[in-house]
């Protein structure tokens, strides 16, 4: 079924307003001074990186001389939300010689690969943890995500330019901007639940159904306020936590050329807003209470006309509806998540299936000073071996 933008959706109920008409023309409203919030350029909804954040990319599965294999090339990758924003498909690295049965790729190759990743990334983990410990009160989390590293075309280096020499050069790839796409097939999710969970020693913890309402805040223009809500029996939202969007301290993207999924390792912190004033909480609760559950719209929520902002302070800029199962052990936490998101700023939305693995023990022991560096490194290698053995193989996503 083709995607219909919010302002083009027609409700079967003639009394029901379209999902977010005022969100699609905020500058129009602001310029006419019709009483809507002042729409100065702000950074809400953007990804936040710490001042000394580490962000880098590298590839594994290279030839003996450290170059990308001749069988590796760039191919367009269909992601509707990216195409809507950028006007072109992003690119991914594809290995034509990838073994059909990824789980049976030569054990020696896989073993050396995860060991090299551990050696490469461990100094970044230690550095980022040290900075967080010295400068912040929040405890960091180290999470492994699985999907595809996407490369964005630019005006100076196109896919055709890279292809001129037939070989894809790693130095050329570093000139592309990149992102990480975490949507995976349903069959991969089932494999993780049915086959991987019993093997890695995690036990079922619980199921949660949560709505995240994302707000811009005129007094926190570099942050996004995230309101976590559950659904009450009367189909209204109940607010239970208010947070700022995560701050990234380390992001390492790894193109895994001998697998068909890539890996992102990210160290982040998140702040809970527990000291909001009564006026702030009232404004936020008014926005939450005005939300209407609607499975027909992306993100699952809509607001009546004029109800998606509160005074001059808060405005709804996005919604997420997430349903997830979590599995936990003393050292790991696995989340298997269905997410339905809508971004009011860009009028784009997408439903995805995502798997992430939180490496719990390593970071907590580093922060507490309860572990020797060598012992921590050994545990980190064990985690990466587990990831290589169980999480980086699924059916190809190229279309």
């Amino acid at each position: 079924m083709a995607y219909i933008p919010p302002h083009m959706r027609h409700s079967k109920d003639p009394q029901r307003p379209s999902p977010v008409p005022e969100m699609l023309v905020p500058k129009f409203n602001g310029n006419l001074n019709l009483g809507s919030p002042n729409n100065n350029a702000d950074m809400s909804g953007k990804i936040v990186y710490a001042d000394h954040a580490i962000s880098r990319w590298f590839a594994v599965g290279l030839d003996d001389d450290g170059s990308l294999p001749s069988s590796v090339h760039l191919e367009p990758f269909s992601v509707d939300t990216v195409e809507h924003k950028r006007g072109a498909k992003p690119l991914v690295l594809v290995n034509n010689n990838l073994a059909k049965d990824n789980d049976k790729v030569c054990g020696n190759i896989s073993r050396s690969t995860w060991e090299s990743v551990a050696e490469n990334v461990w100094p970044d983990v230690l550095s980022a943890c040290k900075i967080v410990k010295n400068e912040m009160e929040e405890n960091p989390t180290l999470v492994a995500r699985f999907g595809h590293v996407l490369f964005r075309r630019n005006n100076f280096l196109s896919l055709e330019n890279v292809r001129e020499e037939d070989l894809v050069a790693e130095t050329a790839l570093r000139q592309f901007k990149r992102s990480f796409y975490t949507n995976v097939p349903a069959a991969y999710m089932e494999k993780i639940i049915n086959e991987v969970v019993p093997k890695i020693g995690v036990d079922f913890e619980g199921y949660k159904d949560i709505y995240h309402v994302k707000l811009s805040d005129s007094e926190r223009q570099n942050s996004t306020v995230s309101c976590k809500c559950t659904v009450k029996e009367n189909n209204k939202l109940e607010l239970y936590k208010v947070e700022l969007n995560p701050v990234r301290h380390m992001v390492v993207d790894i193109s895994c050329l001998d697998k068909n999924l890539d890996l992102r390792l990210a160290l982040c912190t998140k702040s809970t807003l527990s000291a909001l004033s009564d006026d702030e909480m009232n404004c936020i609760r008014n926005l939450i209470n005005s939300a209407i559950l609607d499975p027909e719209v992306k993100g699952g929520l809509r607001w009546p006309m004029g109800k998606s902002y509160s005074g001059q302070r808060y405005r709804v800029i996005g919604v997420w509806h997430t349903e997830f199962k979590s599995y936990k052990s003393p050292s790991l936490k696995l989340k298997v998540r269905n997410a339905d998101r809508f971004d009011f700023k860009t009028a784009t939305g997408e439903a995805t299936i995502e798997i992430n693995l939180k490496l719990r023990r390593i970071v907590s022991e580093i922060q507490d000073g309860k572990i020797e560096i060598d012992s921590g490194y050994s545990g980190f290698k064990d985690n990466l071996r587990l990831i290589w053995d169980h999480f980086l193989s699924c059916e190809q996503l190229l279309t």
Side-chain angles (χ1 to χ4, degrees):
M1 181 177 178
Y3 171 68
I4 303 174
H7 62 294
M8 297 294 290
R9 296 173 187 161
H10 297 286
S11 169
K12 296 178 183 178
D13 181 357
Q15 302 301 315
R16 189 172 77 173
S18 58
V20 283
E22 72 274 23
M23 301 305 299
L24 301 176
V25 285
K27 290 185 179 179
F28 175 83
N29 287 343
N31 290 339
L32 286 184
N33 194 24
L34 297 179
S36 61
N38 185 17
N39 223 9
N40 295 325
D42 65 68
M43 295 299 291
S44 58
K46 301 294 184 181
I47 295 169
V48 178
Y49 283 85
D51 290 340
H52 304 290
I54 298 164
S55 178
R56 63 191 186 95
W57 164 86
F58 64 90
V60 293
L62 304 174
D63 285 339
D64 291 340
D65 62 359
S67 63
L68 291 168
S70 59
S71 58
V72 173
H73 60 284
L74 285 167
E75 284 291 338
F77 188 88
S78 291
V79 182
D80 289 343
T81 52
V82 175
E83 291 179 57
H84 179 88
K85 292 178 185 178
R86 308 297 179 189
K89 290 182 179 181
L91 307 171
V92 295
L93 285 172
V94 178
N95 186 352
N96 285 339
N97 290 343
L98 188 67
K100 290 184 179 179
D101 185 354
N102 251 248
D103 291 324
K104 296 181 181 178
V105 173
C106 174
N108 290 334
I109 294 175
S110 295
R111 182 184 297 269
S112 63
T113 301
W114 56 258
E115 287 179 340
S116 68
V117 170
E119 183 178 358
N120 199 333
V121 178
W122 181 244
D124 293 336
V125 174
L126 290 178
S127 176
C129 284
K130 181 178 179 180
I131 291 172
V132 171
K133 184 175 182 179
N134 291 339
E135 297 182 3
M136 305 189 70
E137 295 180 1
E138 296 84 7
N139 291 321
T141 57
L142 178 61
V143 179
R145 304 186 189 280
F146 314 105
H148 282 87
V149 177
L150 304 183
F151 298 93
R152 190 200 311 171
R153 309 162 192 251
N154 60 47
N155 295 329
F156 304 102
L157 191 64
S158 67
L159 177 59
E160 289 71 26
N161 296 144
V162 175
R163 279 177 168 167
E164 283 179 0
E165 300 178 1
D166 286 333
L167 300 179
V168 179
E170 192 174 7
T171 53
L173 288 172
R174 295 187 189 281
Q175 298 179 52
F176 284 84
K177 291 186 177 180
R178 72 175 192 278
S179 59
F180 198 82
Y181 187 58
T182 55
N183 191 21
V184 295
Y188 173 76
M189 176 187 69
E190 294 300 322
K191 173 188 172 183
I192 296 299
I193 293 173
N194 297 327
E195 299 179 23
V196 175
V197 164
K199 293 177 181 178
I200 65 173
V202 291
D203 297 318
F204 181 70
E205 181 185 35
Y207 165 85
K208 289 187 178 181
D209 185 347
I210 298 174
Y211 286 86
H212 306 249
V213 179
K214 307 289 183 175
L215 307 178
S216 65
D217 181 351
S218 62
E219 296 187 11
R220 294 186 180 92
Q221 293 197 6
N222 291 325
S223 299
T224 302
V225 177
S226 181
C227 304
K228 289 187 175 182
C229 309
T230 55
V231 179
K232 297 187 290 187
E233 291 184 0
N234 61 356
N235 274 346
K236 300 297 289 183
L237 295 182
E238 181 172 25
L239 177 66
Y240 75 90
K241 185 183 288 187
V242 182
E243 301 173 326
L244 292 180
N245 50 331
V247 177
R248 295 179 175 179
H249 300 270
M250 183 202 81
V251 175
V252 180
D253 291 332
I254 305 158
S255 292
C256 306
L257 304 180
D258 55 358
K259 296 287 187 178
N260 51 22
L261 284 179
D262 299 324
L263 172 64
R264 165 171 281 187
L265 294 169
L267 189 97
C268 304
T269 55
K270 189 183 294 184
S271 301
T272 299
L273 295 177
S274 56
L276 293 169
S277 68
D278 289 344
D279 286 344
E280 289 172 322
M281 282 304 301
N282 286 336
C283 288
I284 291 173
R285 289 189 186 281
N286 286 339
L287 287 172
I288 300 303
N289 292 337
S290 298
I292 299 171
L293 267 69
D294 188 346
E296 304 263 333
V297 300
K298 287 191 177 293
L301 295 175
R302 61 181 176 85
W303 277 259
M305 182 74 74
K307 297 292 187 179
S308 62
Y309 53 85
S310 180
Q312 299 292 318
R313 180 79 185 266
Y314 298 106
R315 176 185 285 273
V316 179
I317 59 171
V319 291
W320 297 6
H321 179 206
T322 62
E323 299 176 80
F324 65 88
K325 296 177 181 178
S326 58
Y327 304 82
K328 191 167 68 171
S329 73
S331 59
L332 302 170
K333 184 169 185 178
L334 173 68
K335 281 189 178 180
V336 179
R337 177 167 67 184
N338 288 276
D340 181 13
R341 297 182 176 92
F342 189 76
D343 182 339
F344 293 134
K345 283 190 163 187
T346 61
T348 57
E350 185 179 24
T352 59
I353 298 172
E354 301 164 354
I355 310 292
N356 66 63
L357 185 68
K358 185 184 296 185
L359 311 183
R360 302 174 63 212
R361 175 176 289 165
I362 289 176
V363 172
S364 63
E365 290 181 343
I366 292 173
Q367 294 300 100
D368 294 340
K370 295 180 179 179
I371 190 171
E372 297 291 332
I373 298 301
D374 288 345
S375 178
Y377 178 53
S378 178
F380 185 56
K381 284 198 298 182
D382 289 343
N383 286 158
L384 285 172
R385 181 175 184 175
L386 178 144
I387 288 168
W388 238 258
D389 286 346
H390 299 295
F391 287 93
L392 297 178
S393 298
C394 80
E395 295 179 3
Q396 291 285 356
L397 298 177
L398 289 175
T399 58

